[in-house]
Amino acid sequence: MNFFSLCFQSSDYEPSLPVTEKSNPLTRDIDRASPSGIVGMLEACDAQMFQRETGTNYQRLFDDQVVTTLTEVAKRVELILKDPQDSLVVLSGCGTSGRLAFFIASRFNEALKQLNRTLVYSYIIAGGDRALLSSQEAPEDDPELGMLSLQKVCEGKKRVLFIGVSCGLSAPFVAGQLDFCLQHPEVYTPVLLGFNPTHQARDEPIPGCTFTFRSVAQRLQELAQRRKAFLINPAVGPEAISGSSRMKGGSATKIVLEVVLSAAHAAAFSHTPVANDGILQHMREYERAVEMTYQHREGIAALVEAAGRSLQNEGGVCYLGWGPMAFLGLMDASECNPTFGAGERKKRWRGFIRGGYKDLNNNEGPLSSLGPDFCIAHEDFLHQVLPSLTDRDTVLLIYTQSDDLHEVVNLGRKVREKTSNIHAVHHRTDSVEALQQVTFLSFGLNKLCIFDTFWQWELSTKLVLNAVSTGAHILKGKIYRNHMIDLQVTNSKLYRRAARLLQVHKTVAHMILEYTYINQDTLTINRDNNWDKHGPCSVQVVPLALVSLLTGCSLKQVESRLEQRQILRDALEELIP
Ligand code: S6P
């Protein structure tokens, strides 16, 4: 383990920031790295998730206390599985955390269905099902909405295990739900999952509430001593791109929840009692999955390069997925705009799932009437995208050996007639690969084939897709050092992050406000703090303000310079004498 990998744990490293918002010392120059260099840095960051105890105050994933808490939560789930009458396990979160809540609840309900058991899992995502496929950041600020949606899902239930996920221990939506659970202990047992220590939970006042996220987390911590609540909050290290909790935060969420729920299922249905050893062993399997994924560093780098080239040439990237992997594609695609694309007029990154909403099986059913971005079936791809596909676009097929290979080949052929820029991420566990290889070579597909076991397919796919979308946007110049600088400023967390980025360079978050005098929409956003009403601002506010601050140039001058130069660091270096 090198020095940089551990130094974020030192108490004087960016002391005012929680771990999930710190900048990772390993990726300071990621905006200058080659595709292979980018993937190497992501690998080092992901390895931090599994670092063992290092003598600091931070709890880590493999610490005894964390493993014991996972065991106890699994036992609570087991009780509900064995006696599901009037009971529920609710998974809830905002953005990526809500998407994972949906995905994991669906996967484990599916497992129950196959066993002919009562379904016990429900999900809540801030902003409703449309947030599964697009960024809906504003509802994250609304604790009452969180509380009301929890109440609705749990109507008539007598016993609820509520698992609220907020990687940064920061979302008011989740704080509202946890507070509600604490007020009704006769029904609700709250579990909080996130990746900061409690004292780093967000302490900013929430309008209309007497609590902050931190005060709720502290109350949970007290109750945790009597096992009336549970807190799972190991540090997994700062994100490769500061604050981008869709990456490690999302992966660690997936690992923790799957380890807990599968231990509970094994105990309830296969007579394997929940125990610390089993939990530890399962987590080690995930660690191995991460290592195995990055053994394909050059293959992943080739995908990053192809997708990056598409973005540089104003093309798009499409994921065509089969089975559960397809949702990971939808999820990754949905995160690109809020993370990197403040100025984008067209959605350049799209995901498709074989049977559309039938396969997605979400609570609210088909959402295609909301617009083309919500048309997600392969059929939609064939009608909306294929006709205008060119070599500038990248298409990535995502499938496993469980999917219908003839279908994959047929769709691949249609794409191949339009673009040679077609690739695949494929998972397998046995030697049927030899046969498949022949089929694919016959139409010349670049294929990244990952040899691993069923449980690891999903995490591995998530890592590859995160690397491709993050890497491609880095190559397009959307990252400054390791900061998401072209982010959409659409809720209070993102507003603070943007303001902080500007303050780092010695001044004035009020540059954003100054800019808002030119842009009426944003002006109102800041005045009444109602992000929902106004929607995202279409201008690259943060890069504009930052370059203007550093150079003293007028906003108009900077705007035209940014249009000419895609890479932010290049624009800066050209403007600064
Ligand atoms: C982060 C992603 C966001 C977060 C959301 C919830 O990369 O774009 O949508 O998932 O803001 O964050 P948290 O900290 O409450 O899980």
Side-chain angles (χ1 to χ4, degrees):
M1 202 52 65
N2 74 30
F3 167 76
F4 285 116
S5 186
L6 297 173
C7 83
F8 80 88
Q9 304 193 71
S10 140
S11 56
D12 50 11
Y13 184 76
E14 300 184 342
S16 64
L17 295 179
V19 178
T20 54
E21 291 285 328
K22 287 184 199 291
S23 71
N24 199 315
L26 295 169
T27 56
R28 264 184 204 141
D29 290 319
I30 200 165
D31 62 337
R32 294 285 198 193
S34 65
S36 172
I38 291 171
V39 180
M41 289 184 197
L42 298 181
E43 175 178 9
C45 283
D46 281 332
Q48 286 177 324
M49 285 192 283
F50 304 102
Q51 270 170 13
R52 310 309 200 255
E53 211 186 333
T54 47
T56 64
N57 291 331
Y58 287 114
Q59 265 191 14
R60 309 307 307 252
L61 202 54
F62 283 103
D63 283 4
D64 288 348
Q65 206 185 327
V66 174
V67 175
T68 303
T69 309
L70 299 187
T71 303
E72 282 172 6
V73 175
K75 285 180 179 162
R76 297 300 174 102
V77 178
E78 179 192 354
L79 291 178
I80 291 181
L81 290 171
K82 283 180 168 161
D83 179 15
Q85 179 99 28
D86 298 326
S87 300
L88 212 53
V89 178
V90 179
L91 309 180
S92 173
C94 312
T96 303
S97 300
R99 291 176 199 121
L100 285 167
F102 157 76
F103 186 64
I104 293 166
S106 309
R107 301 286 276 131
F108 281 88
N109 271 342
E110 193 56 45
L112 291 175
K113 216 184 277 173
Q114 278 168 19
L115 295 170
N116 239 341
R117 303 274 176 171
T118 311
L119 310 190
V120 302
Y121 300 103
S122 280
Y123 70 90
I124 298 174
I125 176 163
D129 278 0
R130 63 169 64 202
L132 294 173
L133 306 168
S134 65
S135 79
Q136 305 289 326
E137 312 280 1
E140 180 169 332
D141 279 344
D142 193 338
E144 197 187 350
L145 188 63
M147 185 269 282
L148 292 174
S149 44
L150 177 60
Q151 233 178 342
K152 190 166 162 216
V153 166
C154 299
E155 220 173 309
K157 299 293 173 197
K158 299 207 169 82
R159 181 174 51 162
V160 175
L161 185 72
F162 171 76
I163 307 183
V165 186
S166 179
C167 297
L169 262 54
S170 64
F173 184 88
V174 174
Q177 297 176 322
L178 292 167
D179 178 69
F180 179 76
C181 294
L182 291 170
Q183 287 177 39
H184 298 90
E186 66 293 350
V187 175
Y188 294 90
T189 304
V191 182
L192 168 59
L193 172 60
F195 304 100
N196 285 320
T198 317
H199 70 270
Q200 291 183 356
R202 187 168 165 190
D203 207 24
E204 195 178 305
I206 304 173
C209 292
T210 52
F211 53 83
T212 64
F213 204 107
R214 189 180 300 171
S215 71
V216 172
Q218 282 163 345
R219 276 151 67 203
L220 280 173
Q221 203 168 27
E222 279 158 31
L223 288 173
Q225 285 160 15
R226 284 177 280 140
R227 295 181 185 178
K228 290 185 182 302
F230 298 94
L231 202 59
I232 307 168
N233 60 335
V236 291
E239 296 290 349
I241 304 301
S242 314
S244 181
S245 56
R246 76 191 192 103
M247 303 181 77
K248 264 199 282 195
S251 302
T253 297
K254 194 165 179 336
I255 294 170
V256 165
L257 291 179
E258 287 176 0
V259 163
V260 166
L261 301 187
S262 43
H265 279 233
F269 310 126
S270 350
H271 312 291
T272 314
V274 181
N276 283 19
D277 279 355
I279 297 270
L280 266 173
Q281 191 189 325
H282 198 172
M283 288 204 298
R284 282 193 211 106
E285 280 165 25
Y286 281 99
E287 183 179 19
R288 173 111 184 91
V290 174
E291 287 165 8
M292 287 188 63
T293 306
Y294 284 110
Q295 281 172 13
H296 301 267
R297 177 166 167 175
E298 292 312 318
I300 303 172
L303 298 179
V304 168
E305 196 166 3
R309 211 177 310 119
S310 286
L311 292 188
Q312 282 160 353
N313 295 327
E314 305 296 314
V317 179
C318 281
Y319 296 143
L320 296 177
W322 278 260
M325 303 302 151
F327 179 71
L328 298 171
L330 289 169
M331 182 166 91
D332 192 80
S334 74
E335 290 155 354
C336 288
N337 261 39
T339 312
F340 308 105
E344 292 292 343
R345 279 166 197 89
K346 180 180 154 209
K347 201 170 172 191
R348 296 198 179 278
W349 212 286
R350 293 188 62 180
F352 296 89
I353 177 168
R354 182 184 168 278
Y357 289 94
K358 192 165 59 60
D359 286 10
L360 194 66
N361 199 16
N362 54 315
N363 283 347
E364 294 172 29
L367 302 171
S368 335
S369 60
L370 294 175
D373 289 348
F374 292 87
C375 297
I376 55 168
H378 285 182
E379 278 297 309
D380 298 316
F381 167 81
L382 291 174
H383 294 129
Q384 287 182 8
V385 182
L386 190 73
S388 54
L389 207 66
T390 71
D391 273 337
R392 285 189 311 176
D393 304 305
T394 298
V395 174
L396 187 59
L397 309 177
I398 307 163
Y399 63 99
T400 72
Q401 65 182 44
S402 319
D403 299 309
D404 181 342
L405 203 69
H406 292 293
E407 249 185 53
V408 180
V409 170
N410 281 340
L411 190 56
R413 282 219 173 91
K414 286 183 185 147
V415 172
R416 189 82 170 85
E417 283 165 17
K418 295 287 205 165
T419 176
S420 53
N421 201 0
I422 172 171
H423 310 261
V425 176
H426 169 227
H427 293 273
R428 66 185 172 104
T429 54
D430 58 25
S431 59
V432 290
E433 171 64 11
L435 183 67
Q436 293 167 2
Q437 194 81 41
V438 174
T439 325
F440 276 105
L441 286 177
S442 69
F443 67 88
L445 185 74
N446 298 323
K447 187 148 69 89
L448 173 66
C449 180
I450 301 177
F451 182 88
D452 47 16
T453 66
F454 181 81
W455 263 111
Q456 301 156 350
W457 291 350
E458 291 173 6
L459 178 63
S460 189
T461 303
K462 178 182 180 295
L463 297 180
V464 172
L465 301 186
N466 284 171
V468 173
S469 54
T470 303
H473 282 96
I474 291 172
L475 296 178
K476 163 93 174 153
K478 292 285 189 177
I479 295 291
Y480 176 68
R481 297 191 189 276
N482 55 6
H483 294 289
M484 267 187 275
I485 197 157
D486 197 11
L487 73 165
Q488 289 182 348
V489 184
T490 42
N491 67 24
S492 61
K493 175 176 82 175
L494 298 172
Y495 178 81
R496 297 271 165 262
R497 191 180 291 159
R500 210 169 48 230
L501 263 175
L502 301 176
Q503 276 162 338
V504 164
H505 294 278
K506 289 275 168 291
T507 0
V508 276
H510 77 239
M511 277 305 286
I512 292 185
L513 295 175
E514 184 183 313
Y515 186 73
T516 61
Y517 280 91
I518 306 165
N519 183 304
Q520 279 305 311
D521 271 2
T522 334
L523 175 65
T524 347
I525 287 171
N526 288 324
R527 284 213 173 133
D528 63 8
N529 201 26
N530 185 347
W531 309 88
D532 206 12
K533 202 163 70 196
H534 305 281
C537 166
S538 63
V539 186
Q540 296 174 285
V541 176
V542 183
L544 212 65
L546 176 65
V547 178
S548 175
L549 269 172
L550 289 175
T551 60
C553 296
S554 77
L555 290 166
K556 275 261 162 299
Q557 281 172 313
V558 177
E559 197 164 8
S560 81
R561 196 59 68 98
L562 277 180
E563 265 167 27
Q564 291 159 19
R565 283 255 164 236
Q566 289 194 342
I567 309 274
L568 266 170
R569 252 216 228 187
D570 291 349
L572 274 178
E573 283 175 5
E574 212 174 87
L575 282 159
I576 298 168

